[in-house]
């Protein structure tokens, strides 16, 4: 007997299939796709566009203003949902598709699931070259969508409508994998999108993908327990995997019972609240004083769900103990083996629970525990000092962070991605809830902030979201304010105007230059950009896009602006304030490897090179 079939276009079958996909973990089930973002053009309007119109509102369509932004919003959504839900993103061919490449890199670097449906040229090729087609003299089997291959965890081009039957389950396998997840790209030729096929009806039945909690090897857990018991000053590095595993309670119990202190990466921040006495806060280039001091002394690093970026390891200068060893708990074997570690390849939550059981009644000595508590208290005092600088004639960035932190509610979320803000937030933000801190710092994407704020708010509508964005990032991508207006979504956006790229300006000075090319100034007769500051009015810009706008120039006005933003109902709110780019937060003994010119006519560059060479001697592979 022939199984029943349903005749659909490839695009219709795609939307039907996506709407039937669910995930489940620990007995909790939800629909995996919250809908589809898209900008229509030739290459998707008659295929995916028609299918979305046909199946609305069962599978909701959202209109973005930029293809990259729709991917960034999807990344933020999936990150906030601990990778248990996401969006699909559709584009036309050519620039519409290639605009999504940066977003694909963001997703893959951060191990966040997003499905990209890139419109493609005609599979039949009769019309070639079509508008926006990139031709090759060496093959006809190529398009701009091949550029997605290096930044996708799975890539396929659908030449025939029936190929969906094998391609879509493979795409879902990767999207729902705790190990292999990232961007999944399906290139969809525009003629194939509109072609029909008799699909098995069973293909569109509800499917639930179970998210496993993989266990680490039992013998490896016993060896890890022995290493910890033999250690004098063990130190935990909490990474993003703690969030994705929902391992908060396991970490809190482990730290409380053993007394082993915990430090935080950007992705791991918030796994413990700031006032937990075992929490040393940020580590590495943007780390706290106590965390960076103990990092130099520790003889055993326990990395949990971290991939050890150079900011975490301070370009491999953070850890200095001669007998240093690593234990890495990570669901990904690739990350678990880093730094010649003892790998515990498994889910963070269950591995921590099983490691705690193997440790029995082990605990660090009382003096070490008390030293950790002292560092936690002294750092909180330093944060308080920076929050209340009373800097003049304009606010410091640290003060603005302090007011947003102090005047927002404990259940709110702050969001950022690039510039000098992430480093200051990493050190200074007092996390008061497990999802209160959202930083995209794997790719540190300028322009992520506003689109990301939209994604977090869509993931958790009851939560107040505070986007903190510098003027440089704002200028790169801010048009999703229009989407917030269109959808009636309220996000609070704090625009910090420091008249340029302050982070790279500071980095420029540290390598012996003087902030060349980092200030927003007119070009003068000298040929340099050293004239008057450009008169950019960010408040008017936000207002023109439909946002409710508040200007604030001092502490009193900013406090009133925060209250007004909290009270505002419906649509985005933008608070615009000027900050002093010269008032910076200290680095607290950390270093980041940014090569300095080996030869130069500049004395300041030569001096910076000498300091650079001295630091290079401290770098180690920990092997």
């Amino acid at each position: 007997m022939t199984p029943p079939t349903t005749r659909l276009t490839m695009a219709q079958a795609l939307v039907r299939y996506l709407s039937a996909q669910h995930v489940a973990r620990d007995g909790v089930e939800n629909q995996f796709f919250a809908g589809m973002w898209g900008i229509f053009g030739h290459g998707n309007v008659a295929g995916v566009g028609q299918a979305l119109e046909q199946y609305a509102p069962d599978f909701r369509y959202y209109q973005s203003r930029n293809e990259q932004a729709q991917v960034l919003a999807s990344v933020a959504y999936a990150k906030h949902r601990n990778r248990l839900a996401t969006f699909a993103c559709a584009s036309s061919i050519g620039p519409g598709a290639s605009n999504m490449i940066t977003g694909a890199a963001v997703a893959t670097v951060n191990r966040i699931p997003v499905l990209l449906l890139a419109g493609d040229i005609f599979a039949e090729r009769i019309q070639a070259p079509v508008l926006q087609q990139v031709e090759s003299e060496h093959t006809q089997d190529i398009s701009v969508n091949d550029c997605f291959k290096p930044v996708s965890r799975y890539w396929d081009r659908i030449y025939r409508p029936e190929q969906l039957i094998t391609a879509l389950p493979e795409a879902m396998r990767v999207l729902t994998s705790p190990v292999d997840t990232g961007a999944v790209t399906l290139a969809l030729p525009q003629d194939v999108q509109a072609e029909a096929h008799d699909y098995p009806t069973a293909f569109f039945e509800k499917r639930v993908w179970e998210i496993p909690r993989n266990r680490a090897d039992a013998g490896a857990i016993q060896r890890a327990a022995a290493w910890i018991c033999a250690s004098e000053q063990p130190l935990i590095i909490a990474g993003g995997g703690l969030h994705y595993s929902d391992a908060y309670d396991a970490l809190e119990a482990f730290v409380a019972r053993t007394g082993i202190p915990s430090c935080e990466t950007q992705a791991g921040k918030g796994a413990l609240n700031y006032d937990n006495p075992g929490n040393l806060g940020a580590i590495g280039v943007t780390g706290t004083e106590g965390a960076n001091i103990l990092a130099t002394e520790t003889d055993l690093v326990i990395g949990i769900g971290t991939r050890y970026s150079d900011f975490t390891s301070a370009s491999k200068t953070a850890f200095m103990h001669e007998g240093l060893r690593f234990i890495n708990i990570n669901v990904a074997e690739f990350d678990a083996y880093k730094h010649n570690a003892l790998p515990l390849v498994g889910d963070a939550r269950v591995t921590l629970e099983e490691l705690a059981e193997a440790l029995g009644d082990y605990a660090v000595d009382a003096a070490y525990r008390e030293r950790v508590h002292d560092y936690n208290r002294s750092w909180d005092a330093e944060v308080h000092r920076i929050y209340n600088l009373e800097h003049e004639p304009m606010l410091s960035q640290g003060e603005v962070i302090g007011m947003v932190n102090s005047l927002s509610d404990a259940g709110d979320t702050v969001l950022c991605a690039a510039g000098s803000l992430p480093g200051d937030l990493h050190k200074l933000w007092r996390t008061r809830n497990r999802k209160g801190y959202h930083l995209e710092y794997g790719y540190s994407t300028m322009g992520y902030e506003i689109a990301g704020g939209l994604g977090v708010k869509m993931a958790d509508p009851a939560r107040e979201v505070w986007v903190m964005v510098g003027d440089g990032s704002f200028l790169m991508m801010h048009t999703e304010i229009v989407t917030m207006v269109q959808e009636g979504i309220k996000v609070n956006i704090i625009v910090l105007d420091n008249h340029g790229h302050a982070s790279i300006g500071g980095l420029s000075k540290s390598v012996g230059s003087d902030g060349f090319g980092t200030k927003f100034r007119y070009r003068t007769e000298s040929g340099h950009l050293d004239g008057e500051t450009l008169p950019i009015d960010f408040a008017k810009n936000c207002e023109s896009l439909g946002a409710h706008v508040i200007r604030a120039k001092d502490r009193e006005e900013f406090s009133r602006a925060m209250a007004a933003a909290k009270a505002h109902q419906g649509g985005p709110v933008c608070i615009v304030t000027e900050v002093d780019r010269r008032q910076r937060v200290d680095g607290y003994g950390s270093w980041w490897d940014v090569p300095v010119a080996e030869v130069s006519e500049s004395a300041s560059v030569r001096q910076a090179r000498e300091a650079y060479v001295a630091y290079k001697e401290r770098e180690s592979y920990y092997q």
Side-chain angles (χ1 to χ4, degrees):
M1 181 177 176
T2 303
T5 60
T6 303
R7 188 163 182 80
L8 299 169
T9 68
M10 183 266 271
Q12 292 163 1
L14 170 69
V15 174
R16 281 276 301 273
Y17 180 88
L18 297 183
S19 66
Q21 304 310 298
H22 293 67
V23 297
R25 187 174 68 178
D26 302 333
V28 179
E29 179 186 311
N30 60 267
Q31 190 168 18
F32 187 61
F33 291 101
M36 188 183 300
W37 292 96
I39 296 178
F40 298 125
H42 85 99
N44 72 339
V45 66
V48 171
Q50 186 279 326
L52 286 169
E53 182 181 28
Q54 180 169 314
Y55 294 118
D58 294 333
F59 194 76
R60 179 164 289 189
Y61 160 71
Y62 293 94
Q63 181 185 64
S64 71
R65 271 68 212 169
N66 180 285
E67 291 88 356
Q68 181 187 144
Q70 68 188 17
V71 183
L72 299 181
S74 302
V75 168
Y77 181 96
K79 178 180 172 73
H80 192 82
R81 292 288 303 272
N82 285 346
R83 308 192 299 195
L84 298 174
T86 190
F87 280 92
C89 297
S91 79
S92 60
I93 79 165
S98 58
N99 277 352
M100 297 198 296
I101 292 173
T102 295
V106 173
T108 295
V109 166
N110 288 283
R111 279 74 157 173
I112 303 293
V114 178
L115 177 61
L116 309 181
L117 305 170
D120 212 329
I121 57 179
F122 283 79
E124 66 182 14
R125 299 180 181 171
I126 296 171
Q127 305 81 359
V130 299
L131 178 66
Q132 299 176 331
Q133 178 177 347
V134 177
E135 294 184 273
S136 170
E137 297 89 345
H138 308 293
T139 179
Q140 294 189 58
D141 188 23
I142 197 170
S143 79
V144 72
N145 290 337
D146 289 81
C147 296
F148 283 96
K149 289 179 178 178
V151 292
S152 297
R153 295 295 290 170
Y154 180 82
W155 185 98
D156 200 358
R157 180 175 281 122
I158 310 301
Y159 286 106
R160 298 174 59 86
E162 60 266 36
Q163 289 177 345
L164 277 186
I165 298 172
T166 54
L168 285 177
E170 282 300 293
M172 284 301 301
R173 175 187 63 80
V174 174
L175 288 167
T176 59
S177 168
V179 179
D180 292 329
T181 195
V184 168
T185 302
L186 298 181
L188 308 179
Q190 54 187 296
D191 52 341
V192 181
Q193 290 182 43
E195 292 175 5
H197 178 73
D198 294 318
Y199 290 92
T201 302
F203 187 61
F204 307 110
E205 293 176 357
K206 176 182 175 181
R207 177 165 181 181
V208 180
W209 299 78
E210 294 284 345
I211 308 299
R213 289 195 180 275
N214 300 330
R215 261 67 177 174
D217 178 73
I221 287 177
Q222 293 300 320
R223 289 194 297 276
W227 282 23
I228 293 171
C229 290
S231 170
E232 294 182 356
Q233 290 190 184
L235 182 68
I236 292 169
I237 297 180
L242 280 155
H243 287 277
Y244 306 141
S245 176
D246 190 21
Y248 311 114
D249 292 340
L251 177 66
E252 188 172 1
F254 190 87
V255 170
R257 198 174 97 182
T258 66
I260 301 174
S262 180
C263 306
E264 306 167 317
T265 69
Q266 288 277 16
K269 190 173 174 72
L272 293 177
N273 280 358
Y274 82 97
D275 55 358
N276 184 305
N279 186 4
L280 291 168
I283 188 171
V285 177
T286 54
T288 70
E289 186 173 29
N292 286 343
I293 289 172
L294 288 190
T296 65
E297 300 175 6
T298 184
D299 57 348
L300 179 64
V301 173
I302 306 169
I304 308 174
T306 178
R307 63 190 187 93
Y308 290 107
S309 78
D310 63 340
F311 260 63
T312 299
S313 70
S315 298
K316 295 191 172 69
T317 64
F319 310 107
M320 305 299 293
H321 194 281
E322 187 176 349
L324 177 66
R325 296 196 288 190
F326 285 78
I327 297 170
N328 290 338
I329 300 171
N330 206 297
V331 72
E333 187 179 72
F334 176 76
D335 293 315
Y337 274 85
K338 287 178 178 176
H339 298 315
N340 200 27
L342 171 57
L344 302 184
V345 183
D347 175 82
R349 190 173 90 181
V350 295
T351 304
L352 262 180
E353 291 169 346
E354 292 175 358
L355 181 58
E357 184 177 350
L359 284 170
D361 60 358
Y362 163 84
V364 301
D365 65 59
Y368 185 47
R369 189 190 290 258
E370 185 56 34
R371 188 179 174 202
V372 170
H373 294 182
D374 286 343
Y375 279 135
N376 176 275
R377 289 189 290 264
S378 64
W379 181 252
D380 196 52
E382 173 69 354
V383 171
H384 180 80
R385 181 189 69 81
I386 295 170
Y387 278 10
N388 297 280
L389 279 177
E390 299 290 346
H391 183 68
E392 293 182 348
M394 64 187 75
L395 292 168
S396 68
Q397 187 162 278
E399 288 176 284
V400 174
I401 291 172
M403 284 186 283
V404 177
N405 195 193
S406 302
L407 298 173
S408 59
D409 293 335
D412 296 353
T413 292
V414 68
L415 184 144
C416 192
S420 59
L421 273 166
D424 290 354
L425 285 163
H426 194 201
K427 289 191 280 275
L428 302 178
W429 188 263
R430 290 167 166 162
T431 48
R432 297 164 292 173
N433 74 84
R434 292 162 173 175
K435 283 296 180 181
Y437 186 84
H438 183 117
L439 261 284
E440 189 288 290
Y441 214 61
Y443 211 51
S444 187
T445 308
M446 294 185 74
Y448 176 91
E449 294 89 347
I450 291 172
L454 172 61
V456 171
K457 186 67 174 181
M458 293 176 73
D460 198 348
R463 181 181 293 263
E464 201 80 68
V465 178
W466 300 90
V467 169
M468 298 194 71
V469 58
D471 49 356
S473 273
F474 179 90
L475 289 173
M476 286 197 175
M477 191 174 296
H478 54 264
T479 49
E480 295 316 303
I481 290 174
V482 176
T483 306
M484 297 174 193
V485 173
Q486 182 179 46
E487 297 287 345
I489 294 174
K490 183 198 175 186
V491 175
N492 305 291
I493 302 166
I494 317 293
V495 183
L496 282 74
D497 181 5
N498 54 33
H499 308 295
H501 302 298
S503 175
I504 300 303
L507 183 62
S508 174
K509 289 181 180 295
S510 74
V511 298
S513 298
D514 190 31
F516 176 78
T518 65
K519 299 173 184 176
F520 295 161
R521 296 180 179 273
Y522 286 105
R523 189 178 301 280
T524 63
E525 293 181 359
S526 69
H528 296 293
L529 299 174
D530 58 0
E532 295 295 317
T533 298
L534 297 177
I536 305 167
D537 193 327
F538 294 97
K540 286 183 178 179
N541 199 313
C542 295
E543 190 175 36
S544 74
L545 299 176
H548 178 67
V549 177
I550 310 168
R551 297 177 188 263
K553 68 175 184 295
D554 55 32
R555 293 184 71 93
E556 184 179 347
E557 289 188 1
F558 197 92
S559 296
R560 288 201 299 267
M562 286 286 295
K566 290 168 70 173
H568 182 76
Q569 298 296 317
V573 180
C574 296
I575 301 174
V576 180
T577 187
E578 188 178 12
V579 294
D580 189 346
R581 64 186 285 154
R582 297 165 298 180
Q583 181 62 38
R584 298 180 178 274
V585 179
D586 190 47
Y588 302 97
S590 63
W591 180 71
W592 186 34
D593 191 342
V594 177
V596 181
E598 191 169 357
V599 296
S600 175
E601 297 176 0
S602 168
S604 59
V605 172
R606 293 196 299 271
Q607 184 178 2
R609 176 69 188 188
E610 290 179 8
Y612 174 76
V613 171
Y615 266 104
K616 284 289 288 184
E617 294 176 355
R618 296 173 55 185
E619 285 183 321
S620 167
Y621 287 105
Y622 312 130
Q623 304 243 345

